[in-house]
Amino acid sequence: GHRIELGEVETALNSLSAIHRAVAVVLSPAGQPASLAAALLVDHTDDTDTEQFKADVTDQLRALLPDYMVPSTLALVDEIPLSANGKVDRKQAQILLAEHADAQHTTLTPPKGDKECQVASVWQALLPDRSIGRESHFFSLGGDSLLATQVISTLRENGLTAEQPLRLLFAQPVLAEFAAGLSFENAEPLSTLVPDPDARFEPFPLTEVQRAYWMGQSPGLPLNCGTHYLVELDGENVNIGRLEQAWNSLVQHHDMLRVTIDKEGNQRVLPFFPGIETLCHRFDDMKDGQGEQLAQQWLHQQFHTTSSASKNSDVGSSAQMHHLFGVSYQDAKGNPRCRVGIIFNYLTLDGFSIKLLLEQLSRTYLDPESLPSKTDLLFRDYVNQIAPSNEEKQNAETFWLNKLAELPLKASLPLATEPERLAHPIFTRREHRLPAEDWQALKDKAQKYQITPSVLLLTAYSEVLRLWNGGKDHSINLTLFDRQPVHQDINRILGDFTTLAPVGFCREEESTLIEQAKKTQREIADVLENKAVSSIWIQRQRSHEMSLTAASLPIVFTSTLGLGNGLFEQGESGFPKMVAGGLSETPQVWLDHQLYEFDEELALSWDSVDALFPEGMIDDMFNTYIALIDNLIIIDWDTPLHLVLPNKQCESRLAINRTDQAFSTRTIHQSFFEMAAETPERTAIISEQHSLSYGELAQAALQLAALLTEQGVQPGEPVAVTLPRGHNQVIAVLGILAAGGCYVPVGTHQPLV
């Protein structure tokens, strides 16, 4: 966005006493963002410490130039390349500097002062495999929004903060610049949890998101369904009995696997749950690889059966909320295999909890003695003790109330039926795996542009939604895993720490992909800074001025990138591996995009209520999205994206919007007067006062038409009418139309239909 004036850079460099001569150029390596500026320097001393000299020059330039015009590459040379006429040969200078730029990437200036050292220490702890210096860029190092919140929490605990520290980090992600915006204040230790094991089995309230999920399952609500997530595993020699034993051990270990919910919306942990029994099926007699396909279909049938059963059962019963299924079959080569389906109820578990549980299930299956050690910390303690302060909540409410004026509504995707008419939604999954090599290339490219992979994919998702939304701005519901670091064992317990937040996508004409992605990154910074109130609160505020359906945000983006190692990934052999074919359902949701890493690949899935949309539309949207992601690896991000609707979609829209058909020349009142001429005695109006025949009504209307014409009413001229419904209003309308005028109802009375 900023214009670099090379002449100003060179003037500033040449003004420094230690520099004999300097030249500035722009470096644009293929496939990489351009360096803001690179300067070639000649020092007229011989005993200079090169790195210290560069650091001193950089510090002096910061006082003379804007940050974006401070050279990112500094190289000392014996002479500057000159052309035959003695002018600087900039092409040769660029070639020479490009060689220095690669070498300089590994050269970092050590942090200076207490603030920079503290920031560097925190970054190093969260990104242990990275070299960190004053020039380090948080997002280029691999930082993301989850790590950003941990950075701010740790620094605040050490007494180092700012008025809006998260926004500062997103706006000034270079270590030296970020640290400069911080200040030392009285250390405010984070809220800490005090475990209360004696109250382990006492009721406690649902979180805001849990309550929304729970109430969203109520019969009669549109799009009411369960909160289920199917994970499919597959392997050879799977011992179902051992899998059951491992699962039941973890159920007794984790309180939130034994939770029930009563009719008042309170949750309670039971001291004991009966052991789960895995429902098994066999397709061993199927040949030619059909067994795997039938196994997957059977598991999906169990998913929908479980969902239907949950609607008709009491959530507060002691029945298991999670289910295990097994299907044996033969692969295409005739080898025996087993496909395992685990249906989680994420009313009580978030994405991180499911990841943790699967990893523990794998270890316990392989070694029953490897059950993790017990902790006194409970999810109940977190719900009862951790909440935003009044100041945080008030600041967040003020922010969002001001933001509502510009926050777009949901994307108005073409619908085949209204959500209110669809009581029992059925979700369908579409999925795609981006190979490890392509995924790494995409991550590397995003890192060079200081964009997190999640933000890049969220931006691409929003662009596809915008295309089907007629190019209009829209908002997406973002899933946040808000597990605050308030206890050393916080990452060892299960629970639903989920919060939801809206992210608005407003694009200026011809903005580039980089500009749009960085704007999205700033929006997410605002969301994280003001997450003390959630999307649920914001939708309720909007419902004061519009319907709940209009205020809803039913299009969701859920990224588990940044939750640690690949989600659901387990390197140990002997446990069935996760495979494609899972499914999820969420009340009042139209479309949920989920993404995670597995086996170094990027796994993408869309779960959608297809019955809401025209046939084939979600397929077209998903294919457009996947094609866009593939193209992101090779296209220039410093240009606008120009997505085009598929031909079938264009043809459909043209057919619907075609207005060149012939129209009737008959007026809307002509048929009435024809009827009055043919059967004048026929009753036309029956009212409480009296009745009128067609002839009487026509005569009264024509008398009024004559009066209006005498008063100068011209064809097409509006005539205001304020009358209660009744025969006089009918006479007025027919008289105005007969005179050639336009009927315009005014006042408090409803118009005649």
Side-chain angles (χ1 to χ4, degrees):
H2 298 293
R3 181 177 176 81
I4 299 172
E5 298 290 350
L6 296 179
E8 291 184 33
V9 178
E10 291 176 0
T11 299
L13 285 166
N14 288 318
S15 70
L16 303 182
S17 59
I19 296 175
H20 178 62
R21 188 171 183 180
V23 61
V25 300
V26 173
L27 297 180
S28 302
Q32 300 181 26
S35 301
L36 294 180
L40 195 61
L41 312 174
V42 174
D43 178 18
H44 54 53
T45 63
D46 298 325
D47 55 352
T48 302
D49 179 334
T50 302
E51 297 308 317
Q52 185 58 52
F53 177 78
K54 291 179 182 179
D56 292 341
V57 168
T58 299
D59 286 343
Q60 294 176 65
L61 286 177
R62 289 186 188 280
L64 300 172
L65 296 169
D67 286 345
Y68 66 87
M69 287 175 63
V70 175
S72 60
T73 298
L74 299 176
L76 274 65
V77 296
D78 294 331
E79 59 182 20
I80 292 177
L82 302 176
S83 62
N85 58 9
K87 293 185 177 180
V88 174
D89 189 335
R90 293 187 177 273
K91 183 172 290 187
Q92 288 300 316
Q94 283 184 317
I95 295 172
L96 187 59
L97 279 163
E99 298 172 357
H100 284 276
D102 290 338
Q104 187 174 310
H105 263 304
T106 60
T107 303
L108 295 169
T109 308
K112 293 181 178 180
D114 290 345
K115 291 192 293 184
E116 290 187 13
C117 288
Q118 281 207 37
V119 172
S121 176
V122 173
W123 287 14
Q124 193 73 71
L126 295 171
L127 300 160
D129 299 329
R130 302 290 192 268
S131 298
I132 295 175
R134 303 186 74 230
E135 306 85 356
S136 297
H137 191 291
F138 181 70
F139 297 113
S140 292
L141 291 170
D144 56 33
S145 59
L146 289 172
L147 291 177
T149 58
Q150 295 180 48
V151 166
I152 299 308
S153 296
T154 306
L155 290 175
R156 184 182 286 124
E157 200 170 7
N158 296 333
L160 195 57
T161 188
E163 183 177 348
Q164 293 183 317
L166 261 173
R167 186 179 291 180
L168 174 66
L169 178 55
F170 276 76
Q172 303 287 345
V174 174
L175 188 144
E177 297 170 4
F178 172 60
L182 300 173
S183 58
F184 284 104
E185 298 179 1
N186 293 330
E188 295 181 11
L190 295 173
S191 301
T192 54
L193 281 177
V194 179
D196 186 11
D198 292 339
R200 177 173 241 112
F201 305 122
E202 296 296 322
F204 61 104
L206 297 171
T207 67
E208 186 180 36
V209 168
Q210 281 183 300
R211 179 166 288 275
Y213 286 162
W214 177 66
M215 294 182 67
Q217 301 179 40
S218 303
L221 285 180
L223 300 177
N224 74 84
C225 64
T227 48
H228 296 104
Y229 191 97
L230 170 65
V231 172
E232 295 186 47
L233 312 169
D234 201 292
E236 296 182 14
N237 304 315
V238 179
N239 188 322
I240 294 295
R242 189 196 298 177
L243 186 66
E244 278 184 5
Q245 183 180 1
W247 176 271
N248 290 326
S249 296
L250 289 167
V251 168
Q252 299 310 316
H253 179 81
H254 288 292
D255 288 29
M256 289 303 289
L257 293 180
R258 304 191 309 278
V259 75
T260 63
I261 300 172
D262 62 29
K263 293 181 179 179
E264 284 70 42
N266 292 309
Q267 50 193 330
R268 181 169 63 89
V269 173
L270 299 181
F272 178 78
F273 250 4
I276 197 170
E277 293 184 5
T278 305
L279 179 62
C280 296
H281 195 78
R282 304 179 72 88
F283 286 111
D284 295 337
D285 56 343
M286 302 305 299
K287 307 296 183 183
D288 301 325
Q290 295 182 15
E292 181 176 8
Q293 181 180 359
L294 290 172
Q296 181 176 346
Q297 291 175 357
W298 186 83
L299 287 175
H300 280 230
Q301 179 60 42
Q302 303 317 303
F303 177 88
H304 294 304
T305 301
T306 299
S307 175
S308 298
S310 70
K311 292 179 187 175
N312 301 318
S313 65
D314 183 3
V315 180
S317 69
S318 60
Q320 294 274 7
M321 297 183 73
H322 316 284
H323 306 270
L324 285 178
F325 300 96
V327 191
S328 62
Y329 69 96
Q330 291 184 2
D331 64 17
K333 296 180 180 179
N335 300 317
R337 298 189 67 83
C338 183
R339 198 174 188 95
V340 176
I342 307 177
I343 299 179
F344 296 98
N345 192 322
Y346 60 82
L347 180 61
T348 59
L349 302 176
D350 60 12
F352 182 87
S353 297
I354 292 174
K355 163 185 160 39
L356 180 65
L357 183 56
L358 282 167
E359 290 173 350
Q360 292 179 355
L361 181 65
S362 172
R363 288 196 295 269
T364 309
Y365 172 86
L366 296 169
D367 178 10
E369 302 300 321
S370 68
L371 202 65
S373 59
K374 198 73 174 174
T375 173
D376 285 336
L377 184 65
L378 312 171
F379 180 64
R380 181 182 188 280
D381 299 327
Y382 189 94
V383 172
N384 283 335
Q385 298 179 36
I386 302 301
S389 67
N390 289 334
E391 182 182 2
E392 288 174 322
K393 193 171 181 180
Q394 186 174 3
N395 289 341
E397 288 180 358
T398 300
F399 170 83
W400 284 111
L401 288 173
N402 292 332
K403 183 84 171 176
L404 283 181
E406 62 186 58
L407 185 70
L409 298 174
K410 64 178 178 291
S412 298
L413 300 179
L415 297 177
T417 185
E418 293 299 323
E420 294 83 356
R421 298 186 178 183
L422 201 60
H424 305 295
I426 296 177
F427 283 78
T428 302
R429 168 158 291 191
R430 292 162 181 82
E431 54 192 333
H432 178 77
R433 289 281 181 92
L434 193 64
E437 183 178 351
D438 291 344
W439 175 224
Q440 190 59 51
L442 201 58
K443 287 192 292 185
D444 289 344
K445 195 170 180 181
Q447 191 169 326
K448 289 172 183 174
Y449 285 106
Q450 297 91 45
I451 299 168
T452 71
S454 285
V455 166
L456 175 65
L457 294 165
L458 176 56
T459 304
Y461 181 51
S462 76
E463 290 296 331
V464 172
L465 290 168
R466 182 193 302 278
L467 183 62
W468 264 265
N469 190 36
K472 295 180 289 187
D473 297 338
H474 63 97
S475 291
I476 293 174
N477 226 352
L478 183 66
T479 306
L480 302 176
F481 300 106
D482 192 23
R483 186 183 295 236
Q484 298 181 41
V486 289
H487 192 279
Q488 61 182 3
D489 292 336
I490 192 64
N491 288 330
R492 294 176 55 196
I493 64 173
L494 305 185
D496 188 3
F497 298 84
T498 304
T499 58
L500 300 169
V503 179
F505 291 89
C506 305
R507 189 179 65 177
E508 296 180 7
E509 195 69 27
E510 296 302 303
S511 60
T512 68
L513 174 62
I514 297 174
E515 291 168 343
Q516 190 62 35
K518 291 194 172 181
K519 184 176 182 181
T520 300
Q521 203 151 270
R522 292 191 297 271
E523 286 285 329
I524 290 176
D526 284 341
V527 164
L528 295 174
E529 199 78 72
N530 296 279
K531 62 187 170 94
V533 298
S534 76
S535 174
I536 297 167
W537 183 90
I538 294 160
Q539 290 173 68
R540 288 196 192 113
Q541 290 297 313
R542 277 202 154 157
S543 68
H544 297 159
E545 299 179 357
M546 60 186 72
S547 69
L548 278 170
T549 301
S552 67
L553 293 171
I555 300 173
V556 184
F557 180 83
T558 305
S559 170
T560 61
L561 302 182
L563 287 183
N565 295 327
L567 191 65
F568 309 150
E569 195 163 340
Q570 181 54 272
E572 298 177 83
S573 60
F575 186 76
K577 297 199 69 173
M578 182 182 167
V579 292
L583 190 59
S584 73
E585 61 175 7
T586 309
Q588 286 77 58
V589 164
W590 295 3
L591 170 64
D592 185 359
H593 176 20
Q594 304 160 34
L595 56 94
Y596 57 88
E597 287 182 289
F598 182 72
D599 275 350
E600 299 183 344
E601 296 182 337
L602 175 66
L604 303 157
S605 65
W606 283 19
D607 291 333
S608 59
V609 183
D610 282 12
L612 278 174
F613 308 102
E615 185 178 356
M617 191 188 89
I618 300 297
D619 287 320
D620 288 338
M621 291 179 66
F622 186 72
N623 293 336
T624 301
Y625 177 63
I626 297 305
L628 173 58
I629 290 174
D630 289 338
N631 285 333
L632 289 178
I633 300 171
I634 56 176
I635 65 172
D636 181 6
W637 294 3
D638 203 16
T639 58
L641 278 179
H642 292 294
L643 301 182
V644 180
L645 284 170
N647 288 336
K648 185 170 64 175
Q649 289 288 329
C650 292
E651 292 169 1
S652 175
R653 294 190 179 199
L654 284 173
I656 291 172
N657 292 314
R658 187 170 293 124
T659 59
D660 56 356
Q661 64 266 33
F663 290 96
S664 171
T665 57
R666 291 174 61 85
T667 59
I668 61 175
H669 56 284
Q670 185 173 342
S671 296
F672 165 78
F673 285 107
E674 289 175 353
M675 179 74 74
E678 293 175 6
T679 55
E681 70 287 348
R682 183 177 175 182
T683 301
I685 292 179
I686 301 175
S687 67
E688 293 181 359
Q689 297 85 5
H690 59 276
S691 300
L692 289 177
S693 67
Y694 272 86
E696 292 170 333
L697 183 57
Q699 183 179 5
L702 291 173
Q703 287 175 342
L704 177 60
L707 178 62
L708 289 172
T709 302
E710 289 178 6
Q711 296 298 317
V713 171
Q714 299 298 315
E717 186 176 353
V719 178
V721 175
T722 174
L723 286 169
R725 284 189 176 181
H727 68 280
N728 286 329
Q729 191 183 29
V730 177
I731 293 171
V733 172
L734 287 171
I736 292 168
L737 295 176
C742 295
Y743 159 61
V744 180
V746 297
T748 59
H749 297 295
Q750 293 182 338
L752 181 68
V753 177

